[in-house]
Amino acid sequence: MMHSAPIALVVLAAGASKRMGQPKQLLPWGTSTLLEHSIQTALQAEVKKIFVVLGANHDILKSSIENNPVEIIFNSNWEQGLGSSISKAIHHIQQSDMQFEGVMFMLADQPYITVFYLNTLIRRFKSNNRQIIATSYEHGERGVPVLFDKVYFKELMTLTGDSGAKPIIKAHESEVDIVFCGIKNIDLDTQNDYLIAYQENFTK
């Protein structure tokens, strides 16, 4: 991992995968799992440190990734939604001995996001410039990965609910730099979503 930017990269993986019927973080993806794949992608990014937020199924997920050079954060309030994991991560980062100029969030169930794309966002970041660098997908959707300047840390710590950081992005739209990633925003939320994606990539 190259440490070229004072950025914390947070992999959000605290959900219970209710629609999947099992912990989707542990579903196979190539020779690893969805969570392991996202961590390996993150570890190649040009950032200072990697954090992984766990919640539901914490013990089994922790044991599957604890050999990776990442710092695990446990969100006991994971049932409150994605916003609570973002808030927990920022509280943890603020208490860290390390100083960060920004934070990037990515999801554990976005296997099409590449390290090249993560580094594209990172290289656009300029410290102390109030930037929010968000991803744009086909059909105009906006979402993660997203990178926030540290000026937004206080707001990020107040988040709750399932909408994640969207309210902050909306409130500061004039500061948002949109990057088009060139793929569909594919959320692997159901067995069917996962099977289609897996077959497209590994059964040709």
Side-chain angles (χ1 to χ4, degrees):
M1 180 171 62
M2 298 173 63
H3 299 280
S4 62
I7 293 170
L9 201 167
V10 178
V11 181
L12 298 167
S17 317
K18 290 180 180 178
R19 281 187 283 173
M20 187 69 71
Q22 60 182 300
K24 64 181 171 183
Q25 300 95 327
L26 296 179
L27 288 172
W29 192 259
T31 58
S32 60
T33 63
L34 284 173
L35 179 56
E36 181 75 20
H37 176 81
S38 66
I39 289 172
Q40 291 305 313
T41 300
L43 286 169
Q44 297 175 68
E46 298 167 1
V47 296
K48 196 171 184 179
K49 190 172 179 66
I50 309 294
F51 298 87
V52 180
V53 182
L54 301 180
N57 306 299
H58 170 266
D59 291 340
I60 188 172
L61 294 178
K62 181 181 178 182
S63 66
S64 75
I65 64 170
E66 57 190 0
N67 290 330
N68 290 284
V70 300
E71 189 164 330
I72 297 171
I73 303 169
F74 174 55
N75 176 20
S76 60
N77 298 318
W78 61 268
E79 289 181 283
Q80 295 180 10
L82 190 61
S84 70
S85 287
I86 293 172
S87 173
K88 183 73 174 182
I90 298 298
H91 274 95
H92 185 93
I93 287 167
Q94 289 281 66
Q95 295 169 7
S96 169
D97 293 335
M98 303 175 77
Q99 298 296 311
F100 299 99
E101 296 298 314
V103 61
M104 176 185 283
F105 294 99
M106 62 181 288
L107 300 177
D109 63 346
Q110 289 186 307
Y112 294 109
I113 294 297
T114 65
V115 66
F116 176 84
Y117 180 72
L118 295 179
N119 286 337
T120 297
L121 301 188
I122 292 162
R123 290 167 187 171
R124 291 174 82 118
F125 180 73
K126 295 177 175 58
S127 299
N128 302 309
N129 208 31
R130 299 187 62 85
Q131 280 179 301
I132 299 174
I133 306 175
T135 296
S136 175
Y137 293 90
E138 292 179 359
H139 311 302
E141 295 176 87
R142 294 182 184 180
V144 285
V146 60
L147 201 166
F148 290 92
D149 186 278
K150 68 179 180 182
V151 72
Y152 301 104
F153 282 9
K154 285 185 179 179
E155 286 181 75
L156 290 166
M157 284 192 286
T158 69
L159 291 173
T160 57
D162 285 323
S163 58
K166 288 179 182 177
I168 296 175
I169 294 172
K170 187 174 182 179
H172 300 281
E173 199 153 2
S174 62
E175 310 289 349
V176 178
D177 182 9
I178 298 295
V179 180
F180 181 58
C181 70
I183 64 173
K184 294 179 182 178
N185 187 7
I186 298 175
D187 293 323
L188 303 182
D189 289 330
T190 67
Q191 281 281 351
N192 192 54
D193 294 337
Y194 165 71
L195 289 173
I196 289 172
Y198 193 92
Q199 288 168 3
E200 286 178 350
N201 285 272
F202 303 111
T203 60
K204 293 178 181 179

